[in-house]
Amino acid sequence: MGLTNKSTGINASETKLVIKKQSRNDKVVAIAGNPNVGKSTVFNGLTGLHQHTGNWPGKTVTNAQGYCRGKENSYVLVDIPGTYSLLAHSAEEEVARNLICFEHPDIIVVVCDATCLERNLNLVIQTIEIHTNVIVCVNLLDEAKKKGIDIDLEQLSSCLGVPVIGITARKKTDLHKVIDSLDQAIDRPVNYKSLKIAYSDILLQAIRIVEEVLQKKVTTSLSYQWLSLRLIENDPSLMIEMSNQLGLDYDDQELKEAIDQANELLAQHDINKDNLQDKIVVSFIHSAHLICQKVVHYQKQDYNQRDRQIDKILTNRWTGYPIMILLLALIFWITITGANYPSQWLSDFLFGLEVPFNQFFHFIGTPLWLSDMLVSGVYRVLAWVVSVMLPPMAIFFPLFTLMEDLGYLPRIAFNLDHAFKKCSACGKQALTMCMGFGCNAAGIVGCRIIDSPRERLIAMITNNFVPCNGRFPTLIAILTMFFIGTEATMQNSLLSAIFLTMLIVLGITMTLIISKLLSKTILKGVPSSFTLELPPYRKPQVGKVIVRSIFDRTLFVLSRAVAVAAPAGLIIWLMANISVDGMTILNITSNFLDPFAKCIGLDGVILLAFILGFPANEIVIPIMIMAYLASGSLIEMDNLVMLKSLLVENGWTWITAINVMLFSLMHWPCSTTLLTIKKEANSWKWAIVSFLVPAVTGIIICSIFTMCANLFI
């Protein structure tokens, strides 16, 4: 999914592309490849922890850079976004093309999947056509061997005219092959025969017309054949880049005449702007097919039969959805069951530190009000957020990443594509929605994979209907207290998972409904089509998944929550301790909100808790407890029995409990998510819309439920 502690930050979209060399002699290596070929595995294996992330200039597309050393050279590795083609139709394809063409990497390593080499060669051929120094890295040879696929690497190198190496990126020993190849390509370049692409004779004639003139007008290391073909295509975005980077003058009369002559020649053979790119793509496909006929040998033709049989079940219209729901329930059950005891231990430890902190402040002579504000206010909120968030995230994110590593998430997108198309949205929204389970801000950043600006906005506005990790504790606590029971039994944990899954399904349903409404009102349009590859099922790398989930996702989300929880703790403490006419500001505010809150089945304290929980959803329940007890600081209840007793004493019923869960599911995004929307959409307008849509929806749903409950109960 491309989630890292920097690539999903709220400032990610402001980062400018700068290739950062550690020394002047560092060589720049671009790592390219189709999605799901193991490109990131190669990159991560070579660079280790020596990485940093940002965005491409002017694009909300993540790039990653890292460093590694060979025997004689050091390298800066740039991880190009996964793309199927350099004939740019998306932001990812555009930045991949621009880096290869205009950023002047010393070497390009194109990673391929050995199990589907023919499709991958499309990108390889396009890259070789552009750049003179390319290394093809055929990955997943172990998977190919299991499926009875043999690849003649020497013959492949001969056909492509560039060095070819075969690896299994998961093996560290194989990664040394990549480094050795880089060293050899830099220090001892081999004169390989150039690749001949199977362009038609007519297309080659048109290219030669422009090429002859172009060679006189510009000096470049790029392929004149490739440049000439791009001029004939007249791709606007590429024209701008070629003008800026190469100084090409499109007003040159001789060049104009050559392009017009080439287009006239093509038109005589029924090749125009509408079908030209199709002809080009056919040439790439045909070239790849001819090469694979020579180098790829199948021991058995049904090598992917197992994957297809599994897909018949997992992507079937009748079995796909139930399996998705059951897997979701299983993940929630494991998370709920596994997080209980660690959360309690962490809570006891963190809250136990209050005593030595108070003693320390007393020792240095800190005023009582200041120490109380820092310890009972700021620190107590931080301790609550960490103890509540960390254990479930440490379980949920690895489980979620395992599903991603296994190859199941693209199947989820495939299953939900039809539903989103019915709502005039993009099927890729399913993937961004899944990312929102862990963190809505990460889900917003994930919307970058959606090419259509209209559909990207729909996905961002509706992402909050999927509850993030910060809302799970509230939902689970209320479900346990009012509908399941507080006894820690297997049956109760299963029921919690089932009921929580039902809430998630409701959130997904609301996502679809609101997406439909948006597509028919303020964001009208026709749904776009997209190509979704179903990658082969692979055995997850459990160790790497756990490490990646902890460092790139869990700690990132936790650190962000901590950053916003600290000032929130200060504000809450001030409101609870500053009195006006014998009443705290907290009580005054809750009383003011009470009439409106009662209309939607809540009360003033609950609504105020959601408002003050704007920085972090994790502190909603603690604020309720503090307000009900008229305490000057957050108070941790020893168990859910005591908490339920407190809530019931303050007027809670099962109707209130359901409304709180509904409002938790459908209310405004947290501060970090809202800021991320503003950065990604580059507009406060859409940030405000993203705030109002779920909030108004939650108010309406709660009002309707309250009225119906009061009528029939």
Side-chain angles (χ1 to χ4, degrees), residues 535-605:
Y537 295 101
R538 294 173 185 150
K539 183 180 178 182
Q541 297 175 280
V542 178
K544 290 185 178 181
V545 163
I546 293 173
V547 172
R548 192 167 81 239
S549 300
I550 295 294
F551 285 96
D552 285 349
R553 298 184 177 181
T554 303
L555 294 182
F556 161 61
V557 176
L558 183 66
S559 63
R560 193 186 61 238
V562 167
V564 298
L570 178 61
I571 295 171
I572 294 166
W573 186 91
L574 292 172
M575 292 183 67
N577 287 273
I578 297 175
S579 298
V580 179
D581 296 331
M583 291 183 67
T584 65
I585 296 177
L586 196 68
N587 288 334
I588 293 172
T589 310
S590 65
N591 289 339
F592 172 78
L593 296 172
D594 197 65
F596 173 74
K598 289 288 178 59
C599 295
I600 58 175
L602 308 176
D603 63 32
V605 169

Side-chain angles (χ1 to χ4, degrees), residues 1 400 409-410 413 427-436 449 532:
M1 291 292 190
F400 192 80
L409 286 190
K428 290 182 181 178
Q429 189 174 337
L431 295 174
T432 66
M433 183 179 65
C434 290
M435 296 167 71
I449 65 175
L532 177 64

Side-chain angles (χ1 to χ4, degrees), residues 257-373:
E257 290 176 357
I259 295 172
D260 290 340
Q261 186 181 347
N263 283 314
E264 288 175 6
L265 175 64
L266 294 174
Q268 294 172 8
H269 295 80
D270 297 323
I271 301 175
N272 51 44
K273 188 177 181 180
D274 294 331
N275 62 14
L276 174 60
Q277 196 167 95
D278 293 339
K279 300 290 184 182
I280 297 171
V281 172
V282 168
S283 300
F284 295 144
I285 294 173
H286 185 55
S287 299
H289 179 69
L290 292 175
I291 293 171
C292 283
Q293 281 186 322
K294 297 178 182 178
V295 304
V296 182
H297 308 286
Y298 300 97
Q299 295 179 11
K300 48 184 181 181
Q301 294 299 320
D302 59 344
Y303 66 95
N304 63 346
Q305 187 63 29
R306 187 197 63 175
D307 286 4
R308 302 290 74 82
Q309 288 175 344
I310 297 174
D311 282 340
K312 284 181 181 180
I313 300 172
L314 296 183
T315 61
N316 185 277
R317 59 183 302 184
W318 301 110
T319 58
Y321 286 99
I323 291 173
M324 282 194 307
I325 294 171
L326 286 173
L327 280 175
L328 190 63
L330 178 63
I331 289 174
F332 287 144
W333 176 72
I334 296 173
T335 302
I336 293 167
T337 305
N340 285 334
Y341 292 108
S343 185
Q344 187 61 52
W345 297 335
L346 191 58
S347 176
D348 293 341
F349 171 74
L350 293 175
F351 281 95
L353 294 177
E354 288 188 7
V355 175
F357 282 152
N358 281 318
Q359 292 174 344
F360 171 76
F361 285 122
H362 178 73
F363 176 76
I364 63 175
T366 306
L368 183 61
W369 67 268
L370 181 58
S371 63
D372 189 53
M373 181 177 65

